[in-house]
Amino acid sequence: MNWREILTRAALTFVQAFLAVLLVDGIAGVDDPGDLAAPLVAGLAAVLSLAYNMVRQYQAQKGWEE
């Protein structure tokens, strides 16, 4: 089992969710977390994850990966 890969993905997921919360709070100005904050955060985290994985796949295709 590649623990470095597992820990890296876990850390990146944390960072993506953290950034999503900050962006949603700043953009939507959601005051009450019960409104739409949770769905917006989940959606933004998914978009950030998609972008990250697209970059990784591009790097792998170009041979830039470790």
Side-chain angles (χ1 to χ4, degrees):
M1 196 173 280
N2 188 346
W3 287 105
R4 180 176 180 223
E5 178 87 15
I6 292 169
L7 294 174
T8 300
R9 286 181 183 230
L12 287 171
T13 301
F14 172 80
V15 170
Q16 289 167 348
F18 182 78
L19 290 175
V21 169
L22 290 180
L23 290 172
V24 167
D25 187 41
I27 293 171
V30 176
D31 294 330
D32 183 14
D35 292 342
L36 292 176
L40 288 173
V41 168
L44 188 54
V47 169
L48 292 171
S49 178
L50 174 69
Y52 170 75
N53 286 309
M54 288 172 60
V55 169
R56 285 207 40 153
Q57 186 177 34
Y58 179 78
Q59 288 177 332
Q61 287 175 350
K62 294 292 183 181
W64 297 345
E65 209 167 46
E66 293 178 15

